[in-house]
Amino acid sequence: QVQLVESGGGLVQAGGSLRLSCAASGSTSSNYHMGWFRQAPGKEREFVAAITWKGGNIYYADSVKGRFTISRDNAKNTVYLQMNSLKPEDTAVYYCAAGWGMPTMTAANEYDYWGQGTQVTVSS
């Protein structure tokens, strides 16, 4: 069982930055892959970024490439999402997720554990 707690969301103006954190607990090891997803009102949950457990492979949605950076610190059991050049269309609840052995790491149904989400609002 893995518990995930996100933090770092908030209100920011367009062009600004935020850094989200996701702290994991409950597992005896950190060898799980991690991902960030987001869900805007009235829309389906969508993939944002993912990182393998050693950090050797990283994936981004096209909509955030060049603006967002995912990273992890396994010593702290924490994954981060640095978000720069934020746009109003980035407004959503952001969720972190964890899983093992995922074929693509970009599909929500591949992940086993989810956090409660943190709200990110970007004003124009």
Side-chain angles (χ1 to χ4, degrees):
Q1 191 79 7
V2 177
Q3 291 80 44
L4 303 172
V5 179
E6 302 97 334
S7 60
L11 173 64
V12 65
Q13 289 188 333
S17 298
L18 283 175
R19 187 175 85 152
L20 305 183
S21 299
C22 175
S25 62
S27 176
T28 56
S29 69
S30 62
N31 63 341
Y32 37 80
H33 307 315
M34 298 290 296
W36 286 97
F37 288 76
R38 66 187 182 187
Q39 188 166 18
K43 295 188 176 182
E44 293 188 355
R45 191 167 298 189
E46 66 172 359
F47 169 73
V48 175
I51 185 168
T52 51
W53 76 276
K54 286 187 176 180
N57 290 296
I58 290 175
Y59 307 93
Y60 295 102
D62 288 342
S63 58
V64 307
K65 276 181 184 176
R67 299 188 299 122
F68 291 11
T69 302
I70 188 171
S71 62
R72 66 187 296 166
D73 184 340
N74 287 341
K76 296 182 179 179
N77 291 325
T78 301
V79 64
Y80 305 96
L81 186 68
Q82 177 66 44
M83 305 186 296
N84 299 328
S85 302
L86 282 161
K87 305 174 181 180
E89 51 263 44
D90 294 318
T91 295
V93 177
Y94 283 70
Y95 299 89
C96 71
W100 292 261
M102 294 172 280
T104 70
M105 296 183 63
T106 62
N109 60 11
E110 294 179 1
Y111 289 80
D112 299 300
Y113 300 101
W114 291 84
Q116 83 289 349
T118 185
Q119 176 70 47
V120 171
T121 303
V122 184
S123 63
S124 58

